[in-house]
Amino acid sequence: MTRHARNCTAGAVYTYHEKKKDTQQSGYGSQKARLSKDSIKDFDCCCLTLQPCKNPVVTPEGFIYDKEAILEYILHQKREIARQLKAYDKQKKRFEEDEAKKQKSEKHSKIKAFVDKEKSIVSKPLNPFTGAGPSQPKEKAEVPSTSGAGPSSSTGAAGGVAKKEQLPSFWIPSLTPKAEEAKLKKPEEKVRCPMSGKPLKMNHLIPVVFKPVNDRDNKTSLIVKQVRYVCAVTGDALGNSVPCAVLKPSGAVVTMDSVERLIKKDMTDPVSGDKLTDRDIIQIQRGGTGFASSGVKLEAKQDGPVMQA
């Protein structure tokens, strides 16, 4: 392989390197990039503010939020749902009024057509002194015309006029097309978790009690420290690489290793002494570590336009 083999354009095949280079320069096709550790939040950071929690709470699915941030989110969603419901009810009432006006107009037009038809009927009075005897010929009934301007032609003309009136026209004000008002769908009245998408209420939030690491450095900011908290049972350092869980009765954070080896033997909370069930052990949803085996997908993909033959 020569020195400039990758930049050679006289090859018989379109190499992977050339395809990747052209895709990056032109913007066509799908582009992938692997995220680093700096792009992933820490396990103890809020899912909304992405900062270390001052008053952490956890959902039954294991997502940690700052209490102030998640309560503000719930109140905002409730106000938004109330606004959408008000707009939906207003639109529904307007549609019902329009439908009632339409039915009233159709009923009025039918009555008017019936009255006009009744008025057009003219009855010829009979003379009692002159009867239509056998010697007197009867009046000939009018024979309908069978010319080209018959019912079929009149129907076709009427259909053509109706079709012509339905077609949009930008030159006739009465036939100018109008944009129809978009119909609002009935909004969902449940507030959902921004991460899991499941219904979320205030009483679902469980307080979390982290055990801080025992160091005497009070000057360093909490977000700068690499190790901030330890397990409440074993004292092991907690991080994204260590699976951990929250015990619901006490809110203590422990490692999953201590849960499997110690807590599940007697199913008792080591901090409060309460009995535990499987639902009381909530595994925290942690971020990635930058390694492929961390169990978190750290690949970002952006789909761009594709030219197809």
Side-chain angles (χ1 to χ4, degrees):
M1 181 180 291
T2 60
R3 180 179 179 183
H4 302 286
R6 287 191 171 184
N7 297 326
C8 179
T9 58
V13 295
Y14 191 39
T15 63
Y16 174 76
H17 174 74
E18 292 175 346
K19 181 180 179 182
K20 188 176 180 181
K21 183 179 178 181
D22 294 342
T23 300
Q24 187 175 5
Q25 292 179 354
S26 63
Y28 286 94
S30 300
Q31 300 183 12
K32 297 180 181 179
R34 184 170 178 81
L35 303 177
S36 63
K37 180 183 177 182
D38 298 333
S39 302
I40 307 299
K41 76 175 188 67
D42 291 334
F43 78 101
D44 61 332
C45 290
C46 174
C47 294
L48 293 176
T49 62
L50 304 180
Q51 298 295 325
C53 298
K54 297 180 181 179
N55 192 3
V57 291
V58 66
T59 63
E61 289 76 29
F63 294 99
I64 289 184
Y65 298 98
D66 200 338
K67 189 174 183 179
E68 182 181 356
I70 191 61
L71 291 182
E72 184 178 354
Y73 169 81
I74 292 175
L75 293 176
H76 173 73
Q77 289 297 319
K78 286 186 176 181
R79 287 194 296 265
E80 186 68 17
I81 290 172
R83 185 190 65 80
Q84 293 178 0
L85 280 173
K86 187 176 180 181
Y88 173 78
D89 293 339
K90 186 177 180 181
Q91 186 189 59
K92 184 179 179 182
K93 185 177 180 180
R94 185 169 64 252
F95 284 163
E96 290 176 354
E97 292 177 355
D98 294 344
E99 187 67 22
K101 289 181 180 179
K102 185 178 179 181
Q103 292 180 0
K104 187 177 180 180
S105 177
E106 290 179 356
K107 185 177 180 180
H108 180 70
S109 61
K110 287 181 180 180
I111 294 174
K112 186 178 179 182
F114 176 77
V115 172
D116 294 342
K117 188 175 180 181
E118 289 293 325
K119 287 182 179 180
S120 63
I121 299 176
V122 179
S123 59
K124 187 176 181 181
L126 297 177
N127 191 353
F129 301 102
T130 58
S135 60
Q136 295 180 358
K138 296 181 179 179
E139 295 182 358
K140 295 182 180 180
E142 295 183 359
V143 180
S145 175
T146 57
S147 60
S152 59
S153 60
S154 62
T155 305
V161 172
K163 184 178 180 182
K164 188 175 181 181
E165 289 180 354
Q166 291 178 359
L167 293 176
S169 175
F170 291 95
W171 311 109
I172 304 175
S174 61
L175 300 181
T176 303
K178 299 180 181 179
E180 296 182 358
E181 184 181 0
K183 293 184 178 180
L184 300 176
K185 295 183 179 179
K186 187 176 182 180
E188 190 178 9
E189 300 182 10
K190 295 181 180 179
V191 178
R192 294 189 174 272
C193 177
M195 297 298 295
S196 64
K198 295 184 178 180
L200 181 64
K201 295 181 180 180
M202 293 185 182
N203 56 2
H204 293 170
L205 302 175
I206 303 164
V208 179
V209 181
F210 285 107
K211 183 178 180 181
V213 63
N214 189 12
D215 60 352
R216 299 179 181 179
D217 187 6
N218 298 326
K219 297 181 180 180
T220 306
S221 177
L222 186 65
I223 194 173
V224 180
K225 294 181 180 180
Q226 295 294 332
V227 180
R228 294 189 281 265
Y229 304 108
V230 295
C231 176
V233 177
T234 61
D236 297 336
L238 302 179
N240 281 2
S241 59
V242 181
C244 48
V246 177
L247 303 180
K248 188 175 180 179
S250 62
V253 181
V254 296
T255 60
M256 288 300 297
D257 185 47
S258 62
V259 171
E260 298 293 338
R261 292 191 297 107
L262 302 175
I263 298 176
K264 281 193 174 181
K265 289 184 177 180
D266 53 0
M267 294 300 287
T268 304
D269 191 334
V271 178
S272 64
D274 298 332
K275 287 293 182 179
L276 297 174
T277 61
D278 292 337
R279 292 185 178 182
D280 293 337
I281 302 174
I282 303 171
Q283 187 171 358
I284 296 178
Q285 302 290 337
R286 54 197 175 91
T289 60
F291 294 95
S293 60
S294 64
V296 180
K297 187 177 181 181
L298 300 177
E299 188 179 59
K301 182 178 180 182
Q302 182 180 5
D303 295 331
V306 180
M307 298 182 65
Q308 297 182 355

Short mmCIF file of all heavy atoms in Angstrom, two decimals, residues 60-111:
data_model
loop_
_atom_site.label_atom_id
_atom_site.label_comp_id
_atom_site.label_asym_id
_atom_site.label_seq_id
_atom_site.Cartn_x
_atom_site.Cartn_y
_atom_site.Cartn_z
N PRO A 60 -40.80 4.85 41.14
CA PRO A 60 -40.80 3.38 41.22
C PRO A 60 -40.01 2.71 40.11
O PRO A 60 -39.64 1.54 40.25
CB PRO A 60 -42.30 3.02 41.12
CG PRO A 60 -43.01 4.23 41.64
CD PRO A 60 -42.17 5.40 41.20
N GLU A 61 -39.72 3.41 39.01
CA GLU A 61 -38.94 2.84 37.91
C GLU A 61 -37.44 3.04 38.12
O GLU A 61 -36.65 2.53 37.33
CB GLU A 61 -39.36 3.44 36.57
CG GLU A 61 -40.72 2.99 36.08
CD GLU A 61 -41.84 3.71 36.83
OE1 GLU A 61 -41.60 4.87 37.27
OE2 GLU A 61 -42.92 3.12 36.98
N GLY A 62 -37.03 3.83 39.13
CA GLY A 62 -35.62 3.99 39.44
C GLY A 62 -34.98 5.25 38.90
O GLY A 62 -33.74 5.34 38.92
N PHE A 63 -35.75 6.21 38.45
CA PHE A 63 -35.18 7.46 37.95
C PHE A 63 -35.13 8.49 39.08
O PHE A 63 -36.12 8.71 39.77
CB PHE A 63 -36.02 8.00 36.78
CG PHE A 63 -35.97 7.13 35.57
CD1 PHE A 63 -37.00 6.24 35.30
CD2 PHE A 63 -34.89 7.18 34.70
CE1 PHE A 63 -36.95 5.43 34.19
CE2 PHE A 63 -34.84 6.37 33.58
CZ PHE A 63 -35.87 5.49 33.32
N ILE A 64 -33.97 9.11 39.25
CA ILE A 64 -33.75 10.05 40.34
C ILE A 64 -34.00 11.47 39.85
O ILE A 64 -33.56 11.85 38.76
CB ILE A 64 -32.32 9.91 40.90
CG1 ILE A 64 -32.20 8.59 41.68
CG2 ILE A 64 -31.96 11.07 41.80
CD1 ILE A 64 -30.87 8.39 42.34
N TYR A 65 -34.73 12.25 40.65
CA TYR A 65 -35.00 13.65 40.37
C TYR A 65 -34.74 14.47 41.62
O TYR A 65 -34.80 13.97 42.74
CB TYR A 65 -36.47 13.85 39.95
CG TYR A 65 -36.87 13.14 38.69
CD1 TYR A 65 -37.52 11.91 38.74
CD2 TYR A 65 -36.62 13.69 37.44
CE1 TYR A 65 -37.90 11.25 37.59
CE2 TYR A 65 -36.99 13.04 36.28
CZ TYR A 65 -37.63 11.83 36.35
OH TYR A 65 -38.00 11.16 35.21
N ASP A 66 -34.46 15.75 41.38
CA ASP A 66 -34.46 16.70 42.49
C ASP A 66 -35.91 17.02 42.81
O ASP A 66 -36.71 17.25 41.90
CB ASP A 66 -33.70 17.96 42.08
CG ASP A 66 -33.25 18.75 43.30
OD1 ASP A 66 -33.87 18.56 44.37
OD2 ASP A 66 -32.32 19.55 43.19
N LYS A 67 -36.26 17.02 44.09
CA LYS A 67 -37.66 17.17 44.48
C LYS A 67 -38.26 18.48 43.96
O LYS A 67 -39.40 18.52 43.48
CB LYS A 67 -37.78 17.11 46.00
CG LYS A 67 -39.22 17.04 46.50
CD LYS A 67 -39.28 16.82 48.00
CE LYS A 67 -40.73 16.66 48.46
NZ LYS A 67 -40.80 16.43 49.93
N GLU A 68 -37.51 19.55 44.03
CA GLU A 68 -38.01 20.84 43.55
C GLU A 68 -38.27 20.81 42.06
O GLU A 68 -39.29 21.31 41.57
CB GLU A 68 -37.00 21.94 43.89
CG GLU A 68 -37.44 23.33 43.48
CD GLU A 68 -36.41 24.38 43.82
OE1 GLU A 68 -35.39 24.03 44.43
OE2 GLU A 68 -36.62 25.56 43.46
N ALA A 69 -37.37 20.18 41.29
CA ALA A 69 -37.50 20.15 39.83
C ALA A 69 -38.68 19.28 39.40
O ALA A 69 -39.47 19.67 38.52
CB ALA A 69 -36.21 19.64 39.20
N ILE A 70 -38.85 18.12 40.02
CA ILE A 70 -39.93 17.22 39.59
C ILE A 70 -41.29 17.75 40.02
O ILE A 70 -42.29 17.61 39.30
CB ILE A 70 -39.69 15.79 40.13
CG1 ILE A 70 -40.65 14.80 39.46
CG2 ILE A 70 -39.79 15.74 41.63
CD1 ILE A 70 -40.50 14.69 37.97
N LEU A 71 -41.38 18.41 41.19
CA LEU A 71 -42.66 19.00 41.59
C LEU A 71 -43.03 20.16 40.68
O LEU A 71 -44.20 20.33 40.32
CB LEU A 71 -42.59 19.47 43.05
CG LEU A 71 -42.49 18.37 44.11
CD1 LEU A 71 -42.48 18.96 45.50
CD2 LEU A 71 -43.63 17.36 43.97
N GLU A 72 -42.05 20.95 40.30
CA GLU A 72 -42.33 22.04 39.35
C GLU A 72 -42.77 21.48 38.00
O GLU A 72 -43.66 22.04 37.35
CB GLU A 72 -41.07 22.90 39.19
CG GLU A 72 -41.29 24.12 38.30
CD GLU A 72 -40.03 24.98 38.21
OE1 GLU A 72 -39.06 24.69 38.92
OE2 GLU A 72 -40.03 25.92 37.40
N TYR A 73 -42.16 20.37 37.59
CA TYR A 73 -42.56 19.73 36.33
C TYR A 73 -44.00 19.21 36.40
O TYR A 73 -44.79 19.41 35.47
CB TYR A 73 -41.60 18.58 36.02
CG TYR A 73 -42.05 17.68 34.90
CD1 TYR A 73 -41.84 18.04 33.57
CD2 TYR A 73 -42.69 16.47 35.16
CE1 TYR A 73 -42.26 17.22 32.54
CE2 TYR A 73 -43.12 15.65 34.14
CZ TYR A 73 -42.88 16.03 32.83
OH TYR A 73 -43.32 15.21 31.80
N ILE A 74 -44.36 18.58 37.52
CA ILE A 74 -45.73 18.05 37.67
C ILE A 74 -46.75 19.18 37.65
O ILE A 74 -47.80 19.09 36.99
CB ILE A 74 -45.83 17.21 38.96
CG1 ILE A 74 -44.98 15.93 38.82
CG2 ILE A 74 -47.27 16.84 39.25
CD1 ILE A 74 -44.92 15.10 40.10
N LEU A 75 -46.47 20.27 38.38
CA LEU A 75 -47.40 21.40 38.40
C LEU A 75 -47.52 22.04 37.02
O LEU A 75 -48.62 22.42 36.59
CB LEU A 75 -46.94 22.44 39.43
CG LEU A 75 -46.99 22.00 40.89
CD1 LEU A 75 -46.42 23.08 41.80
CD2 LEU A 75 -48.42 21.67 41.30
N HIS A 76 -46.41 22.14 36.31
CA HIS A 76 -46.45 22.71 34.95
C HIS A 76 -47.28 21.83 34.02
O HIS A 76 -48.07 22.34 33.21
CB HIS A 76 -45.03 22.87 34.41
CG HIS A 76 -44.98 23.28 32.97
ND1 HIS A 76 -45.29 24.56 32.56
CD2 HIS A 76 -44.68 22.58 31.84
CE1 HIS A 76 -45.17 24.64 31.24
NE2 HIS A 76 -44.80 23.45 30.79
N GLN A 77 -47.10 20.51 34.11
CA GLN A 77 -47.87 19.60 33.27
C GLN A 77 -49.37 19.67 33.60
O GLN A 77 -50.21 19.61 32.70
CB GLN A 77 -47.36 18.16 33.44
CG GLN A 77 -45.99 17.93 32.84
CD GLN A 77 -45.98 18.13 31.34
OE1 GLN A 77 -46.89 17.71 30.64
NE2 GLN A 77 -44.94 18.78 30.83
N LYS A 78 -49.71 19.81 34.88
CA LYS A 78 -51.13 19.92 35.25
C LYS A 78 -51.74 21.20 34.70
O LYS A 78 -52.87 21.19 34.20
CB LYS A 78 -51.26 19.87 36.78
CG LYS A 78 -51.05 18.49 37.37
CD LYS A 78 -51.33 18.47 38.86
CE LYS A 78 -51.22 17.06 39.41
NZ LYS A 78 -51.51 16.99 40.87
N ARG A 79 -51.00 22.31 34.76
CA ARG A 79 -51.51 23.55 34.19
C ARG A 79 -51.66 23.43 32.67
O ARG A 79 -52.63 23.93 32.10
CB ARG A 79 -50.57 24.71 34.55
CG ARG A 79 -50.65 25.14 36.00
CD ARG A 79 -49.97 26.48 36.20
NE ARG A 79 -48.54 26.42 35.92
CZ ARG A 79 -47.61 26.23 36.84
NH1 ARG A 79 -47.96 26.08 38.12
NH2 ARG A 79 -46.33 26.18 36.51
N GLU A 80 -50.71 22.77 32.04
CA GLU A 80 -50.79 22.60 30.58
C GLU A 80 -51.96 21.71 30.20
O GLU A 80 -52.66 21.97 29.21
CB GLU A 80 -49.47 21.99 30.08
CG GLU A 80 -49.35 21.88 28.57
CD GLU A 80 -49.26 23.22 27.88
OE1 GLU A 80 -48.96 24.22 28.55
OE2 GLU A 80 -49.50 23.27 26.66
N ILE A 81 -52.20 20.65 30.96
CA ILE A 81 -53.33 19.77 30.68
C ILE A 81 -54.65 20.52 30.87
O ILE A 81 -55.58 20.37 30.08
CB ILE A 81 -53.26 18.52 31.59
CG1 ILE A 81 -52.09 17.62 31.17
CG2 ILE A 81 -54.56 17.73 31.54
CD1 ILE A 81 -51.83 16.47 32.11
N ALA A 82 -54.73 21.34 31.93
CA ALA A 82 -55.95 22.13 32.15
C ALA A 82 -56.18 23.11 31.00
O ALA A 82 -57.32 23.30 30.55
CB ALA A 82 -55.84 22.88 33.48
N ARG A 83 -55.11 23.72 30.50
CA ARG A 83 -55.26 24.64 29.37
C ARG A 83 -55.72 23.91 28.11
O ARG A 83 -56.60 24.39 27.38
CB ARG A 83 -53.93 25.35 29.11
CG ARG A 83 -53.98 26.42 28.03
CD ARG A 83 -52.59 26.89 27.66
NE ARG A 83 -51.82 25.84 27.06
CZ ARG A 83 -51.92 25.48 25.78
NH1 ARG A 83 -52.79 26.08 24.98
NH2 ARG A 83 -51.17 24.51 25.30
N GLN A 84 -55.14 22.74 27.85
CA GLN A 84 -55.53 21.97 26.67
C GLN A 84 -56.97 21.47 26.78
O GLN A 84 -57.70 21.44 25.79
CB GLN A 84 -54.56 20.80 26.48
CG GLN A 84 -53.15 21.22 26.10
CD GLN A 84 -52.21 20.04 25.97
OE1 GLN A 84 -52.61 18.89 26.16
NE2 GLN A 84 -50.96 20.30 25.67
N LEU A 85 -57.38 21.06 27.98
CA LEU A 85 -58.77 20.62 28.17
C LEU A 85 -59.75 21.77 27.95
O LEU A 85 -60.81 21.58 27.36
CB LEU A 85 -58.95 20.05 29.58
CG LEU A 85 -58.48 18.61 29.80
CD1 LEU A 85 -58.57 18.25 31.28
CD2 LEU A 85 -59.31 17.63 28.97
N LYS A 86 -59.38 22.96 28.40
CA LYS A 86 -60.25 24.12 28.21
C LYS A 86 -60.39 24.44 26.72
O LYS A 86 -61.50 24.71 26.23
CB LYS A 86 -59.67 25.31 28.96
CG LYS A 86 -60.56 26.53 28.97
CD LYS A 86 -59.95 27.63 29.82
CE LYS A 86 -60.86 28.87 29.83
NZ LYS A 86 -60.25 29.97 30.64
N ALA A 87 -59.27 24.38 25.98
CA ALA A 87 -59.32 24.64 24.53
C ALA A 87 -60.11 23.56 23.81
O ALA A 87 -60.88 23.84 22.87
CB ALA A 87 -57.90 24.73 23.97
N TYR A 88 -59.97 22.30 24.27
CA TYR A 88 -60.71 21.20 23.63
C TYR A 88 -62.21 21.34 23.87
O TYR A 88 -63.02 21.17 22.95
CB TYR A 88 -60.20 19.88 24.18
CG TYR A 88 -60.99 18.67 23.72
CD1 TYR A 88 -60.83 18.15 22.44
CD2 TYR A 88 -61.92 18.06 24.57
CE1 TYR A 88 -61.56 17.06 22.02
CE2 TYR A 88 -62.65 16.97 24.15
CZ TYR A 88 -62.46 16.47 22.89
OH TYR A 88 -63.19 15.39 22.46
N ASP A 89 -62.61 21.68 25.11
CA ASP A 89 -64.03 21.86 25.41
C ASP A 89 -64.62 23.04 24.63
O ASP A 89 -65.77 22.98 24.16
CB ASP A 89 -64.22 22.08 26.92
CG ASP A 89 -63.87 20.84 27.73
OD1 ASP A 89 -63.87 19.74 27.13
OD2 ASP A 89 -63.59 20.97 28.93
N LYS A 90 -63.84 24.11 24.49
CA LYS A 90 -64.31 25.27 23.74
C LYS A 90 -64.53 24.91 22.27
O LYS A 90 -65.54 25.29 21.67
CB LYS A 90 -63.28 26.40 23.87
CG LYS A 90 -63.72 27.71 23.25
CD LYS A 90 -62.68 28.79 23.50
CE LYS A 90 -63.11 30.11 22.87
NZ LYS A 90 -62.08 31.18 23.11
N GLN A 91 -63.57 24.17 21.70
CA GLN A 91 -63.73 23.76 20.30
C GLN A 91 -64.90 22.79 20.13
O GLN A 91 -65.66 22.88 19.17
CB GLN A 91 -62.44 23.11 19.80
CG GLN A 91 -62.45 22.78 18.32
CD GLN A 91 -61.25 21.96 17.92
OE1 GLN A 91 -61.05 20.86 18.44
NE2 GLN A 91 -60.45 22.46 17.00
N LYS A 92 -65.05 21.86 21.08
CA LYS A 92 -66.15 20.91 21.00
C LYS A 92 -67.50 21.62 21.07
O LYS A 92 -68.44 21.29 20.32
CB LYS A 92 -66.03 19.90 22.15
CG LYS A 92 -67.08 18.80 22.12
CD LYS A 92 -66.87 17.84 23.29
CE LYS A 92 -67.93 16.75 23.28
NZ LYS A 92 -67.76 15.83 24.44
N LYS A 93 -67.62 22.63 21.95
CA LYS A 93 -68.86 23.39 22.06
C LYS A 93 -69.14 24.16 20.77
O LYS A 93 -70.29 24.23 20.32
CB LYS A 93 -68.76 24.34 23.25
CG LYS A 93 -70.05 25.09 23.55
CD LYS A 93 -69.89 25.96 24.79
CE LYS A 93 -71.18 26.72 25.08
NZ LYS A 93 -71.04 27.59 26.29
N ARG A 94 -68.08 24.72 20.17
CA ARG A 94 -68.27 25.46 18.92
C ARG A 94 -68.71 24.54 17.80
O ARG A 94 -69.58 24.90 16.99
CB ARG A 94 -66.97 26.17 18.56
CG ARG A 94 -67.11 27.07 17.34
CD ARG A 94 -65.90 27.97 17.16
NE ARG A 94 -64.69 27.22 16.89
CZ ARG A 94 -63.70 27.06 17.76
NH1 ARG A 94 -63.79 27.58 18.96
NH2 ARG A 94 -62.63 26.36 17.44
N PHE A 95 -68.13 23.34 17.72
CA PHE A 95 -68.54 22.38 16.70
C PHE A 95 -70.00 21.95 16.89
O PHE A 95 -70.74 21.79 15.92
CB PHE A 95 -67.63 21.16 16.72
CG PHE A 95 -66.28 21.40 16.10
CD1 PHE A 95 -65.22 20.54 16.35
CD2 PHE A 95 -66.07 22.49 15.28
CE1 PHE A 95 -63.98 20.75 15.77
CE2 PHE A 95 -64.83 22.73 14.71
CZ PHE A 95 -63.78 21.86 14.96
N GLU A 96 -70.42 21.77 18.14
CA GLU A 96 -71.82 21.40 18.41
C GLU A 96 -72.77 22.51 18.00
O GLU A 96 -73.84 22.25 17.43
CB GLU A 96 -71.99 21.06 19.89
CG GLU A 96 -71.30 19.77 20.31
CD GLU A 96 -71.43 19.52 21.81
OE1 GLU A 96 -71.95 20.42 22.51
OE2 GLU A 96 -71.01 18.44 22.27
N GLU A 97 -72.38 23.76 18.27
CA GLU A 97 -73.22 24.88 17.84
C GLU A 97 -73.30 24.98 16.32
O GLU A 97 -74.38 25.22 15.76
CB GLU A 97 -72.67 26.18 18.43
CG GLU A 97 -72.81 26.29 19.94
CD GLU A 97 -72.20 27.56 20.48
OE1 GLU A 97 -71.58 28.29 19.67
OE2 GLU A 97 -72.32 27.81 21.69
N ASP A 98 -72.16 24.76 15.64
CA ASP A 98 -72.17 24.80 14.17
C ASP A 98 -73.03 23.67 13.60
O ASP A 98 -73.75 23.87 12.62
CB ASP A 98 -70.73 24.69 13.63
CG ASP A 98 -69.90 25.90 13.99
OD1 ASP A 98 -70.49 26.93 14.37
OD2 ASP A 98 -68.65 25.81 13.92
N GLU A 99 -72.96 22.50 14.22
CA GLU A 99 -73.77 21.37 13.74
C GLU A 99 -75.25 21.64 13.96
O GLU A 99 -76.09 21.33 13.09
CB GLU A 99 -73.35 20.10 14.48
CG GLU A 99 -74.00 18.83 13.95
CD GLU A 99 -73.55 18.47 12.56
OE1 GLU A 99 -72.46 18.92 12.15
OE2 GLU A 99 -74.29 17.72 11.88
N ALA A 100 -75.60 22.25 15.09
CA ALA A 100 -77.01 22.59 15.35
C ALA A 100 -77.51 23.64 14.35
O ALA A 100 -78.63 23.53 13.83
CB ALA A 100 -77.16 23.10 16.78
N LYS A 101 -76.67 24.64 14.05
CA LYS A 101 -77.06 25.64 13.06
C LYS A 101 -77.23 25.01 11.67
O LYS A 101 -78.14 25.37 10.92
CB LYS A 101 -76.01 26.74 13.01
CG LYS A 101 -75.99 27.65 14.22
CD LYS A 101 -74.93 28.73 14.09
CE LYS A 101 -74.90 29.64 15.30
NZ LYS A 101 -73.85 30.69 15.18
N LYS A 102 -76.34 24.06 11.35
CA LYS A 102 -76.44 23.39 10.05
C LYS A 102 -77.72 22.58 9.94
O LYS A 102 -78.41 22.62 8.91
CB LYS A 102 -75.21 22.49 9.85
CG LYS A 102 -75.13 21.85 8.49
CD LYS A 102 -73.86 21.03 8.37
CE LYS A 102 -73.79 20.35 7.00
NZ LYS A 102 -72.57 19.52 6.88
N GLN A 103 -78.06 21.83 10.98
CA GLN A 103 -79.30 21.05 10.96
C GLN A 103 -80.53 21.96 10.91
O GLN A 103 -81.48 21.67 10.19
CB GLN A 103 -79.36 20.16 12.21
CG GLN A 103 -78.32 19.05 12.22
CD GLN A 103 -78.40 18.20 13.46
OE1 GLN A 103 -79.24 18.45 14.34
NE2 GLN A 103 -77.52 17.21 13.58
N LYS A 104 -80.47 23.09 11.64
CA LYS A 104 -81.59 24.02 11.60
C LYS A 104 -81.75 24.63 10.21
O LYS A 104 -82.87 24.79 9.71
CB LYS A 104 -81.37 25.11 12.64
CG LYS A 104 -82.54 26.06 12.81
CD LYS A 104 -82.25 27.06 13.92
CE LYS A 104 -83.43 28.02 14.09
NZ LYS A 104 -83.16 29.01 15.17
N SER A 105 -80.63 24.94 9.57
CA SER A 105 -80.68 25.50 8.22
C SER A 105 -81.23 24.49 7.21
O SER A 105 -82.03 24.83 6.34
CB SER A 105 -79.29 25.98 7.81
OG SER A 105 -79.28 26.45 6.49
N GLU A 106 -80.80 23.22 7.32
CA GLU A 106 -81.31 22.18 6.42
C GLU A 106 -82.81 21.98 6.62
O GLU A 106 -83.56 21.82 5.64
CB GLU A 106 -80.55 20.87 6.67
CG GLU A 106 -79.10 20.91 6.22
CD GLU A 106 -78.40 19.60 6.50
OE1 GLU A 106 -79.05 18.72 7.14
OE2 GLU A 106 -77.22 19.46 6.12
N LYS A 107 -83.25 21.99 7.87
CA LYS A 107 -84.68 21.83 8.13
C LYS A 107 -85.48 22.99 7.56
O LYS A 107 -86.54 22.81 6.95
CB LYS A 107 -84.89 21.72 9.65
CG LYS A 107 -86.33 21.42 10.04
CD LYS A 107 -86.44 21.27 11.55
CE LYS A 107 -87.89 20.98 11.96
NZ LYS A 107 -88.01 20.83 13.43
N HIS A 108 -84.94 24.21 7.71
CA HIS A 108 -85.62 25.39 7.17
C HIS A 108 -85.69 25.34 5.65
O HIS A 108 -86.72 25.70 5.05
CB HIS A 108 -84.89 26.65 7.63
CG HIS A 108 -85.52 27.92 7.15
ND1 HIS A 108 -86.73 28.38 7.62
CD2 HIS A 108 -85.10 28.83 6.22
CE1 HIS A 108 -87.04 29.51 7.02
NE2 HIS A 108 -86.06 29.81 6.15
N SER A 109 -84.58 24.89 5.02
CA SER A 109 -84.57 24.81 3.55
C SER A 109 -85.56 23.75 3.06
O SER A 109 -86.21 23.94 2.03
CB SER A 109 -83.16 24.50 3.06
OG SER A 109 -82.72 23.25 3.57
N LYS A 110 -85.69 22.65 3.78
CA LYS A 110 -86.65 21.62 3.37
C LYS A 110 -88.09 22.15 3.49
O LYS A 110 -88.92 21.91 2.61
CB LYS A 110 -86.48 20.38 4.25
CG LYS A 110 -85.23 19.57 3.94
CD LYS A 110 -85.15 18.35 4.84
CE LYS A 110 -83.90 17.53 4.53
NZ LYS A 110 -83.80 16.34 5.41
N ILE A 111 -88.40 22.87 4.57
CA ILE A 111 -89.74 23.44 4.74
C ILE A 111 -90.02 24.46 3.64
O ILE A 111 -91.12 24.50 3.05
CB ILE A 111 -89.87 24.08 6.13
CG1 ILE A 111 -89.78 23.00 7.22
CG2 ILE A 111 -91.17 24.86 6.26
CD1 ILE A 111 -89.75 23.55 8.62
#
